Amino acid sequence: MGDAEAPATPDAPEAPTSIARVTIDSPLPQLDRLFDYAVPAALAKGLVPGVRVRVPFGGRTVSGYVVELVTPGDSEFGGRLAELERVVSLAPVLPPDLWRLARQLADRAAGSAGDVLRVAIPPRQARVENRWLAAERGVPETVDAPALTGYPDGTLERLARGERLAVSAIPRTVRLPGGAEVGHWAITLAELAAATIAAGRSAVLLVPDFRDQAQLEAAVAVLLPPASIALLDARRPDAERYAAYLRCLEPAPVVAIGNRSAVYAPVTEPGLIAIWDDGDPLYAEPLAPYVHARDAALVRQENEGSSLVLLGNTRSVEAQRLVEIGWLDSVEPPRSGRPKVVPTARQSDDEPAARAARIPSTAWRTARDALAKGPVLLQVASPGYAPWLACASCGQAAHCARCHGPLGIPRAGAAPSCRVCGALATDWHCDNCGGTRMRSGAVGSARTAEELGRAFPGVRIIIADGDHTVLQVPATPALVIATRGAEPIAVGGYRAVVLLDGERMLSRESLRVGEDCLRWWSNAAALATPGAPVLLAGASGPVADALGSWRQAAWAKAELDDRRELRFPPAVRVASVTGTPVGVAAAMTAIEDLSGVDVLGPVPTGDEQVRAIVRLDYAAGAAAAGELRAAVIAAATRRRKGPAAARGRSTPTLRVRFDDPEIL
DNA sequence: AGCACGCCGACT
DNA sequence: GTCGGCGTGCTC
């Protein structure tokens, strides 16, 4: 073959693909599209989609990623192309599958793909990257496929076929060979991941926070070598996180473990995407375009053909919806292992010590008896001593004179102070009745600990809350007082679990109180030794019943039915649209004719802006997102009219937030 | 966002 | 007759 005549054999190492389509790193919605650049010969070597580049743009140089390489004839741009200025590195940190996912998720959320990428790709660490590019890669160790403990035969095979499952966790803890105690859920995910690796594919495992991350890391480390594990959680130093991200890009199969943003871990050919406790609010991304990790996982699973597992002690209402439409299949372990929940009415108590500690006498007796055998968990609603204070004469909540935040007492003997701004409440008087004395409105973990210390003299007391991180307690007798979500694991499990403050947790005003409480209680109950009593003090009603019967999925079904009735999420999608009255009105005009869409508001937000809530049937979501996106771009480009003085201030533009967890 | 282009008032 | 205001539109 004459080389000079036909240089472009299909797999020629340097095929002359000389146009790079680049996504620009910019927050501007109108720039959320691809721009074509000529690739100068000097930069063509090794250039692949996904690499970071610097390009000239509007008179300056900006950074971006090469999304694809095309031949000159395929450029749709009519003008004169500029050239790539620099290839930052040859590491393909934005592989095509990730770009596709970011684009789809952004479109779905009326946001920018670049914003998704900012969440997905950790900040570059040049030294780490250079070391990675220069590294030699060995042959990966093979691992044996483990069995899946505690679930029906054939479950692994279903996942190998790429099925999507909502799996109920086995509600107990297990001691690992290394001595660490973990929730059985962590074993389940580790086994699923190891089976995936054994089959030569990668797995992505998501946890809400660092305490679950620690358990999962320990469980996975038992089954897999370190070279097969990439730890992507946010608490890790930037360098380690970036190294783990790069590890995912290697062809050898890997288990990526991390919090919500790890759903984007760029593993090639994921065989499994799994989420532990997908109802945890930490899976909701606070950065634009606010893509929930569960939604990202669902789209990614469909794109890349992996299996999907949502594992939890409770079933989120969103997962229940997916089960009901047939998107997920439900998998249950045997019911024999469920916790022994004892609902307990709050009543007047004959035990003076119990009365002093404000716990029902049955709970007090249970705790006392269990303490002879080992640790006892008491779950409380709030940290601190007195989490909120009220006026002693009229009972109204006491507020900070400076910022109107709630007042509380952080520690025994401390002065009342604002929980928001920290200011000491000196010369306080009630806004309502003018009273000058405060009383405690609720009991926090520190106060509970103090009272229990008196009720159980000589017993070791351990406080675990946001300020006192405790991951594990030994199997020896101790009273562990933890705020919900901060419960340590007990070696061998707790000999009793007492859920205090249930009534107060349930009385919070929120669409999600029910599912939150059921999740907090169920997750605490799952820390008990099998057969040990779990007491729910005081609370009653459907949520308490669901805990007692350990039928969380049935509760989620009933809750979803209610939401359908009310047309609340997740029965429908919602989006909040905030901006100037004119901008919001234009956006509403753009979507009002779509079927399956209704608008609440707009209402003023207090800063010359208004906010409307849009409710959408799922079928209308894509069209509505497209229209709202167009409205955002229109508002962003037309924004600069009006007097110059008005432009000087920070520009109030139109903002759209889909699936906003704060609304309704 | 920057920056360039483009059409109407007070100046050497 | 020009210098320069900032409204409008583009950025490969």
Side-chain angles (χ1 to χ4, degrees):
Chain A
M1 190 184 283
D3 290 333
E5 296 292 318
T9 51
D11 50 2
E14 290 186 44
T17 50
S18 52
I19 306 295
R21 315 204 71 202
V22 173
T23 176
I24 301 294
D25 182 21
S26 161
L28 300 175
Q30 61 271 45
L31 302 185
D32 179 31
R33 55 195 183 85
L34 299 181
F35 293 89
D36 292 355
Y37 288 87
V39 179
L43 299 184
K45 185 154 183 281
L47 190 67
V48 290
V51 305
R52 251 183 261 265
V53 289
R54 302 277 299 172
V55 293
F57 190 81
R60 274 161 315 135
T61 302
V62 300
S63 46
Y65 300 95
V66 173
V67 165
E68 56 178 337
L69 291 165
V70 298
T71 52
D74 287 335
S75 175
E76 286 163 20
F77 184 60
R80 184 189 187 83
L81 293 179
E83 290 190 336
L84 294 185
E85 189 172 294
R86 187 161 75 86
V87 174
V88 176
S89 97
L90 291 176
V93 292
L94 175 56
D97 281 336
L98 179 53
W99 168 253
R100 179 171 173 229
L101 179 64
R103 180 73 273 159
Q104 286 171 299
L105 292 172
D107 290 345
R108 211 177 156 275
S112 293
D115 285 340
V116 179
L117 297 181
R118 246 190 297 282
V119 172
I121 305 176
R124 173 167 185 256
Q125 301 287 320
R127 210 177 328 166
V128 173
E129 192 171 75
N130 290 334
R131 206 181 311 136
W132 181 79
L133 285 165
E136 309 227 338
R137 320 226 185 277
V139 179
E141 296 175 49
T142 55
V143 295
D144 297 328
L148 182 60
T149 315
Y151 287 94
D153 290 343
T155 305
L156 283 178
E157 288 72 18
R158 297 181 67 180
L159 291 171
R161 288 195 298 270
E163 292 195 22
R164 296 175 289 250
L165 304 179
V167 182
S168 297
I170 295 170
R172 55 165 300 179
T173 64
V174 178
R175 186 157 198 181
L176 295 174
E181 187 91 8
V182 299
H184 193 289
W185 64 267
I187 309 269
T188 301
L189 287 190
E191 288 171 349
L192 295 178
T196 308
I197 294 286
R201 300 185 77 181
S202 293
V204 176
L205 309 181
L206 305 186
V207 288
D209 62 18
F210 70 96
R211 66 183 61 243
D212 289 332
Q213 171 97 14
Q215 294 178 56
L216 186 54
E217 282 178 17
V220 169
V222 171
L223 296 177
L224 291 170
S228 303
I229 303 171
L231 303 175
L232 287 158
D233 63 297
R235 281 164 71 99
R236 227 157 273 282
D238 285 345
E240 279 180 42
R241 236 170 97 215
Y242 197 62
Y245 186 85
L246 294 173
R247 166 63 185 91
C248 293
L249 295 168
E250 297 172 21
V254 65
V255 177
I257 305 174
N259 57 347
R260 57 182 176 251
S261 58
V263 71
Y264 302 105
V267 301
T268 40
E269 281 201 43
L272 168 70
I273 300 173
I275 307 181
W276 158 243
D277 204 19
D278 70 290
D280 193 306
L282 287 172
Y283 285 117
E285 174 58 57
L287 298 176
Y290 317 107
V291 178
H292 194 287
R294 186 200 303 106
D295 291 335
L298 288 164
V299 174
R300 182 171 187 188
Q301 182 278 330
E302 209 184 354
N303 280 349
E304 301 180 41
S306 71
S307 60
L308 178 73
V309 168
L310 303 185
L311 177 67
N313 288 312
T314 46
R315 177 170 296 169
S316 66
V317 185
E318 288 81 1
Q320 176 60 23
R321 177 186 155 263
L322 293 165
V323 169
E324 290 184 23
I325 65 171
W327 194 256
L328 296 176
D329 258 349
S330 176
V331 171
E332 302 285 333
R335 282 186 62 78
S336 55
R338 66 194 177 90
K340 196 178 102 187
V341 180
V342 188
T344 315
R346 189 176 282 270
Q347 68 223 351
S348 62
D349 281 300
D350 42 346
E351 296 273 7
R355 195 158 58 237
R358 297 154 202 257
I359 61 177
S361 57
T362 44
W364 189 86
R365 276 192 293 272
T366 304
R368 185 192 56 195
D369 295 348
L371 267 177
K373 298 178 229 158
V376 171
L377 174 65
L378 291 112
Q379 184 197 62
V380 298
S382 314
Y385 191 78
W388 64 277
L389 296 167
C391 171
S393 42
C394 76
Q396 181 180 282
H399 293 292
C400 173
R402 198 164 82 186
C403 76
H404 209 67
L407 297 179
I409 297 178
R411 283 174 309 282
S417 61
C418 175
R419 286 171 54 204
V420 176
C421 72
L424 289 176
T426 50
D427 295 333
W428 176 85
H429 61 91
C430 176
D431 330 318
N432 185 41
C433 70
T436 55
R437 296 188 50 237
M438 289 182 264
R439 63 171 170 80
S440 174
V443 176
S445 51
R447 173 83 176 270
T448 305
E450 185 183 283
E451 290 172 351
L452 286 167
R454 282 199 290 266
F456 295 97
V459 174
R460 184 174 171 216
I461 306 242
I462 297 168
I463 295 185
D465 56 30
D467 292 336
H468 310 86
T469 298
V470 186
L471 293 181
Q472 183 170 314
V473 298
T476 49
L479 278 174
V480 179
I481 294 145
T483 51
R484 79 280 187 295
E487 300 90 353
I489 299 254
V491 171
Y494 288 100
R495 298 316 176 108
V497 171
V498 180
L499 307 167
L500 296 170
D501 298 341
E503 233 166 343
R504 218 177 99 218
M505 290 189 203
L506 266 181
S507 67
R508 208 190 48 185
E509 282 294 325
S510 151
L511 177 65
R512 295 174 197 278
V513 260
E515 51 182 311
D516 284 344
C517 288
L518 188 53
R519 218 167 41 73
W520 293 329
W521 297 342
S522 300
N523 286 346
L527 302 179
T529 304
V534 175
L535 281 93
L536 176 55
S540 58
V543 185
D545 293 346
L547 180 76
S549 60
W550 205 254
R551 293 188 190 278
Q552 292 86 350
W555 185 87
K557 179 174 181 11
E559 180 72 9
L560 179 58
D561 286 344
D562 289 350
R563 307 258 184 103
R564 283 206 189 91
E565 198 88 5
L566 297 165
R567 207 169 148 74
F568 277 175
V572 294
R573 290 185 73 193
V574 292
S576 62
V577 181
T578 314
T580 58
V582 175
V584 172
M588 294 307 102
T589 307
I591 56 162
E592 66 191 358
D593 292 334
L594 296 171
S595 79
V597 172
D598 70 297
V599 177
L600 309 175
V603 296
T605 58
D607 49 354
E608 295 173 25
Q609 299 212 334
V610 298
R611 185 174 74 164
I613 307 293
V614 184
R615 299 196 286 193
L616 318 111
D617 293 347
Y618 281 79
E627 295 292 348
L628 291 173
R629 179 64 174 170
V632 167
I633 292 173
T637 53
R638 222 177 292 132
R639 159 182 40 82
R640 277 178 278 184
K641 63 180 168 212
R647 273 184 285 127
R649 309 193 295 242
S650 67
T651 20
T653 67
L654 190 64
R655 297 192 308 278
V656 174
R657 177 163 186 177
F658 265 83
D659 307 313
D660 188 339
E662 300 302 313
I663 56 180
L664 295 176

